[in-house]
Amino acid sequence: SQSPSPRQNMPVRYFIMKSSNLQNIDISQQKGVWSTTPSNERKLNGAFWESSTVYLIFSVQGSGHFQGFARMGSAIGCEKSQDWGSAGFGGVFKVEWIRKESIPFQFAHHLLNPWNDSKKVQ
């Protein structure tokens, strides 16, 4: 029998990842990687090591939609990617896309974020 995962009884974490454009999400879906700003790296790496699973819900800024969601597949490393073409991004990490679909924010308006003054999730 296999031994249980050492993080099995730890919480699941969720993050909404805002992208400046749809092209970045397309690249992520094709290559199975993502990169974020250095200010987000510490939060995501902490969640990766302290949680059983980290889900990333993607949305293009100003689109009014979610574009899908993925599971964080690795911690964020030091290697940078030229795919995004922006000097503002940090290291690359693996993501495993679970669902790729454009879903309007209105479908999630019943979800409220207690860590953000119970505002709607979007």
Side-chain angles (χ1 to χ4, degrees), residues 9 20 23 31 39 56 59-60 81 84 86 106 113 119:
N9 295 321
S20 60
Q23 181 182 6
K31 297 191 173 191
S39 62
L56 307 174
S59 175
V60 174
S81 172
W84 281 269
S86 173
Q106 68 190 30
N113 184 348
K119 292 180 182 173

Side-chain angles (χ1 to χ4, degrees), residues 67-84:
Q67 279 70 38
F69 67 100
R71 181 181 306 109
M72 192 172 174
S74 72
I76 303 169
C78 297
E79 179 185 337
K80 297 189 184 231
S81 172
Q82 300 304 314
D83 289 324
W84 281 269

Side-chain angles (χ1 to χ4, degrees), residues 13 15 17 34-50 54 56 72 74-81 84 86-94:
R13 298 285 305 272
F15 292 89
M17 307 301 292
W34 187 253
S35 185
T36 189
T37 59
S39 62
N40 289 335
E41 288 184 344
R42 185 173 34 189
K43 287 180 198 173
L44 289 174
N45 270 341
F48 181 78
W49 292 115
E50 297 167 2
V54 177
L56 307 174
M72 192 172 174
S74 72
I76 303 169
C78 297
E79 179 185 337
K80 297 189 184 231
S81 172
W84 281 269
S86 173
F89 289 120
V92 173
F93 60 100
K94 292 180 185 177

Side-chain angles (χ1 to χ4, degrees), residues 15-18 57-67 103-113 116 118-122:
F15 292 89
I16 295 181
M17 307 301 292
K18 292 289 189 175
I57 303 158
F58 291 85
S59 175
V60 174
Q61 292 174 348
S63 71
H65 288 75
F66 297 110
Q67 279 70 38
I103 301 169
F105 287 160
Q106 68 190 30
F107 287 12
H109 276 180
H110 65 286
L111 300 175
L112 304 177
N113 184 348
N116 190 19
S118 292
K119 292 180 182 173
K120 294 176 184 174
V121 174
Q122 60 184 43

Side-chain angles (χ1 to χ4, degrees), residues 18-40:
K18 292 289 189 175
S19 177
S20 60
N21 60 64
L22 188 57
Q23 181 182 6
N24 289 351
I25 291 177
D26 289 339
I27 291 167
S28 176
Q29 291 174 342
Q30 292 167 12
K31 297 191 173 191
V33 296
W34 187 253
S35 185
T36 189
T37 59
S39 62
N40 289 335

